[in-house]
Amino acid sequence: MGLTKTEIFSEQQNQIAVFAKAFAHPARVAILQHLFKMDTCVCGDLVIEIGLAQPTISQHLKELKQLGLIKGNIEGTSVCYCIDQENWNKMKKVLNEFFDLDISAAGNCC
Amino acid sequence: MGLTKTEIFSEQQNQIAVFAKAFAHPARVAILQHLFKMDTCVCGDLVIEIGLAQPTISQHLKELKQLGLIKGNIEGTSVCYCIDQENWNKMKKVLNEFFDLDISAAGNCC
DNA sequence: TTGTTTCATTGCAATATTACGATATAACGA
DNA sequence: TCGTTATATCGTAATATTGCAATGAAACAA
């Protein structure tokens, strides 16, 4: 069916999945890394930097923006993107709570 | 085209994306959470616990296993799954290095 | 105004993912 | 052996994702 049954999962489980989806493509990872690397905001040189077509980059940026992980400011003809620090930290908290589930509780039968 | 151009990204970027894909579906998040919650390994009661059809759960387990995040042991007619602690920690390290990129370096133009 | 630059949107094709019914397989108990 | 139980695999349908050419829109410069 290709349709995820979100309704049978908890809000937390769905939130983890939605955040993880942001990083589930190397282009979006590359975009975010580049936004971190630049100490000032970047615009469309992501297209040159990454090597995908402009509409493709624009689409990935849109997804990251909708998730709230990045912000965009119009500056003349170009658009300046950067990390949304508040939401980035929120995402980190949600995912790390999941990652840090106590491994010692996991049995040793395998 | 639906085909990710993995060849234009670094190995690290692809690895982050591959790991993130593991958590990009709430069913897999639920499976992993359940494996953590049980202090002993679990088998196919994941099907009852989660509420998806048995083939669907089996498919998700296969993906997690191929990634190395879980291990499976045959025990009679049932199969016992549990977290692969070593690879889980490896995954955590890779993703946290990415999450902890210095936010202070990100400009404040947005 | 006209052309240029920069980015977003649209439309489409190709591939990937999700889900499940049907079926296979393998171990066990009677 | 035969039936049962537990899980995996196959096949298929539906939806999602990725990528780009073509086009649109908005700001600027001449």
Side-chain angles (χ1 to χ4, degrees):
Chain A
M1 296 195 187
L3 191 146
T4 297
K5 292 191 166 180
T6 51
E7 70 277 8
I8 69 171
F9 301 104
S10 74
E11 206 166 317
Q12 186 218 15
Q13 288 164 342
N14 283 312
Q15 196 181 23
I16 291 170
V18 165
F19 276 137
K21 226 170 264 181
F23 313 117
H25 194 287
R28 289 191 290 269
V29 172
I31 287 171
L32 290 165
Q33 282 179 334
H34 195 71
L35 289 182
F36 273 117
K37 199 174 68 183
M38 299 287 115
D39 53 344
T40 171
C41 282
V42 218
C43 329
D45 38 25
L46 284 165
V47 176
I48 297 159
E49 183 75 19
I50 293 179
L52 288 171
Q54 179 266 324
T56 308
I57 298 289
S58 189
Q59 194 175 307
H60 284 304
L61 285 169
K62 191 181 173 185
E63 286 171 51
L64 291 172
K65 200 172 161 189
Q66 278 175 338
L67 250 176
L69 292 177
I70 65 175
K71 292 186 285 189
N73 256 13
I74 298 173
E75 290 194 351
T77 59
S78 58
V79 178
C80 158
Y81 284 103
C82 64
I83 304 287
D84 185 318
Q85 306 194 13
E86 200 180 317
N87 285 329
W88 184 264
N89 284 327
K90 236 179 251 176
M91 174 280 294
K92 267 173 64 173
K93 199 182 159 196
V94 169
L95 289 189
N96 274 320
E97 265 173 28
F98 171 58
F99 292 157
D100 291 339
L101 288 171
D102 196 0
I103 282 192
S104 65
N108 38 19
C109 69
C110 293
Chain B
M1 295 194 184
L3 192 146
T4 297
K5 292 191 164 178
T6 52
E7 70 278 7
I8 68 171
F9 300 105
S10 74
E11 206 166 319
Q12 187 219 12
Q13 288 164 341
N14 283 313
Q15 197 180 22
I16 291 170
V18 166
F19 276 136
K21 226 171 265 181
F23 313 117
H25 193 288
R28 289 191 291 270
V29 172
I31 288 171
L32 291 163
Q33 282 178 334
H34 195 71
L35 289 182
F36 273 116
K37 199 174 67 182
M38 298 287 116
D39 53 344
T40 172
C41 283
V42 217
C43 329
D45 38 25
L46 284 164
V47 175
I48 298 159
E49 183 75 21
I50 293 180
L52 288 172
Q54 179 266 324
T56 308
I57 298 289
S58 190
Q59 194 174 307
H60 284 305
L61 284 168
K62 191 181 174 186
E63 286 171 52
L64 291 172
K65 200 172 161 189
Q66 279 176 338
L67 251 176
L69 292 177
I70 64 174
K71 292 185 285 189
N73 256 11
I74 298 173
E75 289 194 352
T77 59
S78 59
V79 178
C80 158
Y81 283 102
C82 65
I83 304 287
D84 185 318
Q85 304 194 13
E86 200 181 316
N87 285 330
W88 184 264
N89 283 327
K90 236 179 253 177
M91 173 281 294
K92 267 173 65 173
K93 199 181 158 196
V94 169
L95 288 189
N96 274 320
E97 265 172 29
F98 171 58
F99 291 158
D100 291 339
L101 289 172
D102 196 3
I103 282 191
S104 65
N108 38 18
C109 68
C110 293

